[in-house]
Amino acid sequence: MLVYQDLLTGDELLSDSFPYKEIENGVLWEVEGKWVVQGAISVDIGANPSAEGGDEDEGVDDQAVKVVDIVDTFRLQEQPPFDKKQFVAYAKKYIKALTPKLEQEKQELFKKHIEGAIKFLLSKLSDLQFFVGESMHDDATMVFAYYKEGATDPTFLYFGHGLKEVKC
C-alpha cells in the first residue's frame, strides 16, 4: 500500500486506495470522495425479539453518521474559507516553502505550471472547502474539496508536488 504524506508536515493526506487523476499539467491531483455511513449498524441475525420476550426498542442505539471517506480516513481538519487575497497570500507562502524541498527537475516543472493551477483554484474559490492534515500545522499543504456540477459526492484537489510517496 502507498500512502502520500505532506512533504512539509509529514501528515498522511491520501493513499493509493483513492485513485487520482492528474490535472493542470500534473500540479493538481483530482480524487473523488464519497459520502459514507459510519457508526453502529443494525445487523439482522434472524431472531424474533417479540417471540423471545424481547422489547422492540431493545438493541443497539444506532449512532450512524454520514462522513466523507477521505476526510474521515485521513483525519483532515476543515479550515475557514479564504477570500482571494488570503488565498493568494497562502499560495505565495506555500510555493516559497515547498520549492526548496523539491528535486531540481521537479522544481522546474512546479515553477512552470503552478501559476495555471493557482488560476484554476481561484476560478473555483467560492465553491472550495479547505482542509489541512491532522497536525493542523500553519505551513501545511492545503487540500481542497468542491462539488462538480450535479455531483452528490465531493471532488478533492491536492498539490501533487507537495506529497511524498511512502510504502507501507
Side-chain angles (χ1 to χ4, degrees):
M1 178 174 177
L2 297 176
V3 173
Y4 299 98
Q5 293 179 335
D6 182 346
L7 198 57
L8 300 176
T9 66
D11 289 341
E12 292 181 0
L13 299 178
L14 189 63
S15 76
D16 60 354
S17 300
F18 300 92
Y20 67 87
K21 177 174 81 172
E22 290 185 2
I23 61 171
E24 296 299 316
N25 295 304
V27 175
L28 293 176
W29 291 2
E30 185 178 77
V31 182
E32 300 299 325
K34 285 188 180 56
W35 282 97
V36 295
V37 176
Q38 179 187 60
I41 305 293
S42 176
V43 178
D44 183 4
I45 59 171
N48 184 352
S50 60
E52 297 169 5
D55 189 7
E56 281 296 318
D57 293 336
E58 188 177 296
V60 177
D61 182 14
D62 191 7
Q63 296 295 318
V65 292
K66 283 182 81 173
V67 296
V68 177
D69 55 0
I70 293 173
V71 173
D72 185 60
T73 301
F74 300 102
R75 295 176 294 286
L76 299 181
Q77 306 298 312
E78 188 167 5
Q79 302 300 297
F82 286 8
D83 62 24
K84 184 177 180 177
K85 184 178 177 183
Q86 291 169 320
F87 183 75
V88 169
Y90 162 77
K92 286 180 180 179
K93 182 179 171 185
Y94 178 72
I95 292 166
K96 187 176 181 178
L98 182 64
T99 303
K101 296 195 176 284
L102 299 174
E103 299 165 8
Q104 188 64 36
E105 186 179 306
K106 286 187 176 182
Q107 271 186 20
E108 298 304 317
L109 285 171
F110 182 67
K111 287 178 185 177
K112 183 177 178 181
H113 299 296
I114 188 64
E115 189 176 329
I118 297 298
K119 285 181 181 177
F120 175 81
L121 291 168
L122 280 170
S123 74
K124 299 190 173 316
L125 193 61
S126 62
D127 298 326
L128 293 178
Q129 286 179 279
F130 301 85
F131 295 90
V132 292
E134 188 174 22
S135 71
M136 294 185 68
H137 197 279
D138 287 349
D139 296 329
T141 296
M142 193 79 60
V143 178
F144 311 97
Y146 73 103
Y147 290 84
K148 290 183 176 180
E149 194 170 323
T152 56
D153 291 322
T155 297
F156 288 82
L157 299 168
Y158 293 81
F159 285 116
H161 290 85
L163 300 176
K164 172 177 64 173
E165 186 178 286
V166 178
K167 291 183 180 181
C168 293

